[in-house]
Amino acid sequence: MSEQASISQTGTETSMVEMRGVNKWYGDFHVLRDIDLTVSRGERIVICGPSGSGKSTLIRCINHLEEHQQGEIVVGGMPLTQDVKRIEQIRRRVGMVFQHFNLFPHLTVLENCCLAPMWVQKKPRREAEARAMQYLERVRIAEQAKKYPGQLSGGQQQRVAIARSLCMHPEVMLFDEPTSALDPEMIKEVLDVMVELAQEGMTMLCVTHEMGFAKTVADRVIFMDQGQIIEENAPEPFFNHPQSERTQLFLSQILGH
Amino acid sequence: MIHNRTMIEARPAPSGTIGPIAWLRANLFSGPINSIFTLLGLYLLYVLLMPTIQWALINADWIGTSREDCSRTGACWVFINARIGQFIYGLYPGSEIWRVNLTFVTFAALIAWLAIPRLPFKHWVAAVALLGFPLFAYFLLYGGHFGLDVVETHRWGGLMLTLVLAVVGMVAALPIGVLLALGRRSHMPIVKSFCVVFIEFWRGVPLITVLFMASVMLPLFMPTGVSVDRLVRALIGITLFQSAYMAEVVRGGLQAIPRGQEEAAAALGMNYWKRMGLIVLPQALKMMIPGIVNTFISLFKDTTLVMIIGLFDLLGIVQAALSDSRWLGFSLEGYIFAGLMFWIFCFSMSRYSQYLERKLHTGHKR
């Protein structure tokens, strides 16, 4: 498939991520079952569901940290193939924030943010640093730029991780349970940054259990169970009138206390 | 419950809990039984150490040229004195020894430059040390160019040969080991099996066998008329052998890096070599320092095995000197000298590695 053909093929400029009939197995275990999902540019999506339901696997398939065995994934008009160059091309356009931050501990905060712009996008150091400082400013952590990740709190580290992703100017951001490894008093500082990002129009897919966040910013909430998308709806009807029994049960469990 | 609202001032620790006397009391004389053991230990040390000091230092002969000068009851360091040239330079021609010295000095200067943190241009110096210096050392030590006479490698020996073997082995084995370790973790079946077979083969054979094969078997497979220098053969053998060990040390380090590190690098669009070179290896190498230095130290001492293929390293040349009929009976002095030299080098490496570990620790273990 040539580059030209593959890009023009989808043509729908508005859809940022498209998944069609995506299936994935770990050995015999069927983790993702017939996933169909279209994310428009600028859309904010929250994915929730019980643990082991395949939410993380789903978003990790989008930047090929996990490989799907069946179906089609198109990111920004570019079909995801096995080709290593293609995968790297797509990853450059997709930012990701991890549950455990995964900052590079041997580099300072500033270096963490400059590394990919300098080595992947070949930006000169001066430009990369200016850009990094700008994003660190935005996540309100610029004064820690010279410190190492090990010297920061969890919430600060996660904000650096968000800045690090933003430095690549991604078109879509994937959040894989960004607040679940944080102490309660640090969750808010990270969520605040995410809310601002959402309000600026970033396309986002967030796997999270922060239902408050979902209500504030999500355009759509997706509920997954046993590798399937069970229900998807706008937040208001999703929380107030969940259709499926499993969604109702799940919501009663996490909102009940 | 009401808490005290005023801040408590910092007070000094009670007297007698800090300082040398307190240390002595806590560690050596904390009770009657411990005090007895401490005194007993000191007495034993005295009984064992005093004769050694007497023999090695107080009753020893230091000055002279022949065994007639060894009149006293202690050690006779005259033997070492008389042979020191050979121990360091082997049979390198006397008029050309400045070439070895120049190589030593250059090497020491480069190492010192790299080891002292304050000095600038580390990258350039490292490049010179890795790329320029080997050529420089080759032309200087072997000669044959720039008006220098050729000094055949069978005249090389002593400390100089030991250092050549060890340094070449270390510098060449590390990159090969890193590649082998990466290959062993690779998902490509052919690369992976090649690396596994290579590592397991070289780790499974004793170094003596490797050297013997390199020295005796290799020439049989060579086309007639082609001969590879004996020292070069030993170097190749040592390098391959060491790289297999190094590979396993490196692999251990790589496994200690959480998978999330590589994933984060991948998610930023870095390709395999950037993920490894910028993220995984720098962290892994830091953890591997003790293992790498351990391997270096054992390599440094293993170089003594080249004796069996007729190369005279430091220990070999000391042993050869012991069988000199004019100096019979001074083996203790000879072995102590060789042991001390090896110890100095190994201990320095060990200290430097501990310093490096402290320096590179950025406190990422939370």
Side-chain angles (χ1 to χ4, degrees):
Chain A
M1 201 190 298
S2 82
E3 191 112 325
Q4 280 294 305
S6 64
I7 290 174
S8 59
Q9 182 188 27
T10 54
T12 49
E13 246 304 300
T14 51
S15 78
M16 188 63 233
V17 179
E18 274 185 76
M19 304 177 90
R20 282 190 290 264
V22 172
N23 278 278
K24 176 174 173 59
W25 290 263
Y26 287 127
D28 286 336
F29 181 57
H30 199 168
V31 249
L32 291 183
R33 306 180 191 184
D34 296 333
I35 301 290
D36 289 300
L37 174 65
T38 305
V39 183
S40 315
R41 241 173 233 281
E43 198 176 14
R44 278 90 49 166
I45 290 186
V46 164
I47 304 171
C48 59
S51 71
S53 58
K55 345 180 260 302
S56 290
T57 312
L58 184 138
I59 66 165
R60 286 162 62 88
C61 279
I62 296 172
N63 64 354
H64 203 269
L65 285 183
E66 303 281 349
E67 196 177 335
H68 64 287
Q69 283 110 343
Q70 219 176 60
E72 206 182 338
I73 299 178
V74 182
V75 181
M78 220 184 244
L80 182 61
T81 60
Q82 295 289 341
D83 180 45
V84 179
K85 287 269 173 286
R86 169 60 59 86
I87 294 168
E88 281 160 14
Q89 249 173 335
I90 287 180
R91 282 174 177 166
R92 263 172 255 161
R93 308 172 59 184
V94 178
M96 186 160 204
V97 174
F98 298 85
Q99 182 179 3
H100 296 288
F101 333 134
N102 297 355
L103 291 180
F104 307 131
H106 60 303
L107 302 175
T108 63
V109 164
L110 186 62
E111 288 165 339
N112 262 279
C113 295
C114 292
L115 198 68
M118 280 169 61
W119 288 87
V120 178
Q121 295 179 333
K122 314 279 182 213
K123 300 279 177 221
R125 174 179 292 272
R126 190 183 297 270
E127 194 185 326
E129 280 182 358
R131 193 197 283 180
M133 286 313 291
Q134 176 197 334
Y135 283 109
L136 287 171
E137 207 87 54
R138 255 177 61 180
V139 301
R140 292 180 286 277
I141 200 145
E143 71 283 0
Q144 316 276 16
K146 297 286 176 215
K147 286 195 182 168
Y148 286 95
Q151 298 165 297
L152 303 183
S153 75
Q156 292 174 320
Q157 291 195 46
Q158 194 61 298
R159 285 186 281 145
V160 172
I162 294 172
R164 177 176 71 177
S165 270
L166 292 176
C167 282
M168 290 291 285
H169 289 165
E171 295 163 53
V172 51
M173 288 284 287
L174 310 174
F175 290 85
D176 187 1
E177 307 208 23
T179 55
S180 25
L182 295 175
D183 292 335
E185 74 269 26
M186 295 170 183
I187 291 178
K188 189 174 174 294
E189 61 186 62
V190 172
L191 286 180
D192 286 348
V193 167
M194 289 170 64
V195 169
E196 280 167 35
L197 200 56
Q199 284 161 354
E200 283 158 26
M202 174 65 78
T203 314
M204 293 165 78
L205 277 96
C206 310
V207 173
T208 181
H209 291 136
E210 293 299 327
M211 291 305 138
F213 174 76
K215 283 175 192 163
T216 330
V217 299
D219 296 309
R220 226 180 334 153
V221 182
I222 291 178
F223 175 70
M224 282 184 77
D225 194 16
Q226 292 173 12
Q228 295 177 52
I229 295 181
I230 304 290
E231 189 164 342
E232 51 178 303
N233 216 332
E236 197 274 322
F238 180 87
F239 288 109
N240 297 334
H241 317 287
Q243 303 296 306
S244 101
E245 241 171 74
R246 272 185 284 178
T247 317
Q248 288 162 7
L249 181 67
F250 176 77
L251 286 178
S252 74
Q253 278 166 343
I254 66 164
L255 299 174
H257 53 260
Chain B
M1 206 155 62
I2 297 168
H3 288 281
N4 189 354
R5 297 269 168 79
T6 54
M7 297 300 288
I8 298 168
E9 292 286 320
R11 290 187 297 260
S15 63
T17 57
I18 45 175
I21 302 207
W23 186 91
L24 278 178
R25 197 181 298 153
N27 292 293
L28 297 177
F29 301 100
S30 60
I33 298 183
N34 284 348
S35 305
I36 291 172
F37 275 120
T38 300
L39 294 173
L40 204 68
L42 287 176
Y43 175 69
L44 274 176
L45 265 182
Y46 173 79
V47 168
L48 292 172
L49 271 184
M50 265 329 270
T52 317
I53 293 171
Q54 288 267 329
W55 177 83
L57 301 175
I58 297 169
N59 290 339
D61 293 294
W62 296 88
I63 310 155
T65 46
S66 69
R67 66 176 303 151
E68 279 69 50
D69 296 313
C70 300
S71 50
R72 306 174 62 178
T73 50
C76 181
W77 301 116
V78 176
F79 165 61
I80 307 296
N81 253 339
R83 292 298 190 118
I84 191 81
Q86 239 183 45
F87 291 168
I88 292 180
Y89 305 104
L91 302 174
Y92 214 84
S95 57
E96 305 291 328
I97 275 177
W98 63 271
R99 283 155 59 174
V100 183
N101 286 337
L102 184 56
T103 316
F104 278 172
V105 169
T106 317
F107 181 67
L110 285 172
I111 292 289
W113 194 294
L114 291 175
I116 299 172
R118 280 193 310 276
L119 298 176
F121 312 121
K122 285 268 187 300
H123 290 86
W124 294 106
V125 178
V128 169
L130 279 176
L131 305 171
F133 180 72
L135 279 176
F136 172 75
Y138 168 79
F139 284 125
L140 206 56
L141 292 178
Y142 186 75
H145 294 271
F146 312 115
L148 294 171
D149 291 336
V150 171
V151 180
E152 294 290 342
T153 55
H154 64 83
R155 310 199 64 162
W156 299 19
L159 181 63
M160 164 207 171
L161 182 69
T162 298
L163 286 176
V164 167
L165 287 166
V167 171
V168 172
M170 289 170 195
V171 171
L174 186 58
I176 300 178
V178 169
L179 288 180
L180 283 171
L182 291 177
R184 193 168 184 165
R185 281 163 54 96
S186 159
H187 295 297
M188 290 181 269
I190 294 176
V191 173
K192 184 178 175 151
S193 25
F194 171 79
C195 292
V196 170
V197 169
F198 184 95
I199 292 170
E200 296 305 333
F201 172 78
W202 290 99
R203 279 209 308 167
V205 226
L207 182 55
I208 287 207
T209 321
V210 174
L211 291 172
F212 218 64
M213 297 247 288
S215 157
V216 182
M217 304 266 290
L218 204 63
L220 299 180
F221 298 121
M222 288 287 182
T224 43
V226 177
S227 79
V228 179
D229 186 90
R230 187 162 47 173
L231 176 62
V232 174
R233 279 180 271 154
L235 281 174
I236 293 173
I238 287 179
T239 302
L240 294 180
F241 183 83
Q242 280 303 319
S243 59
Y245 273 90
M246 200 52 78
E248 288 301 280
V249 174
V250 176
R251 191 165 68 98
L254 290 177
Q255 268 164 353
I257 306 300
R259 215 163 65 106
Q261 288 292 310
E262 213 195 320
E263 280 181 356
L268 289 167
M270 295 191 196
N271 64 26
Y272 177 79
W273 294 107
K274 284 177 192 149
R275 298 201 294 268
M276 291 300 136
L278 296 171
I279 306 301
V280 178
L281 279 173
Q283 293 183 57
L285 281 168
K286 189 159 65 186
M287 292 191 185
M288 291 183 293
I289 291 172
I292 290 176
V293 174
N294 192 29
T295 316
F296 279 176
I297 288 177
S298 83
L299 161 66
F300 191 77
K301 294 185 290 187
D302 279 350
T303 54
T304 50
L305 292 172
V306 295
M307 223 189 303
I308 67 143
I309 59 168
L311 292 171
F312 289 98
D313 77 309
L314 178 59
L315 184 62
I317 208 132
V318 169
Q319 254 181 347
L322 294 177
S323 54
D324 181 344
S325 58
R326 284 174 298 155
W327 287 102
L328 285 177
F330 293 107
S331 50
L332 201 50
E333 286 87 340
Y335 285 127
I336 286 178
F337 171 75
L340 194 66
M341 292 301 280
F342 276 103
W343 184 81
I344 289 171
F345 278 97
C346 294
F347 185 67
S348 323
M349 283 194 264
S350 154
R351 296 305 300 179
Y352 184 62
S353 92
Q354 282 172 24
Y355 159 78
L356 257 192
E357 259 178 83
R358 276 196 306 277
K359 193 179 96 125
L360 293 178
H361 187 72
T362 53
H364 62 271
K365 291 201 186 73
R366 299 200 303 125

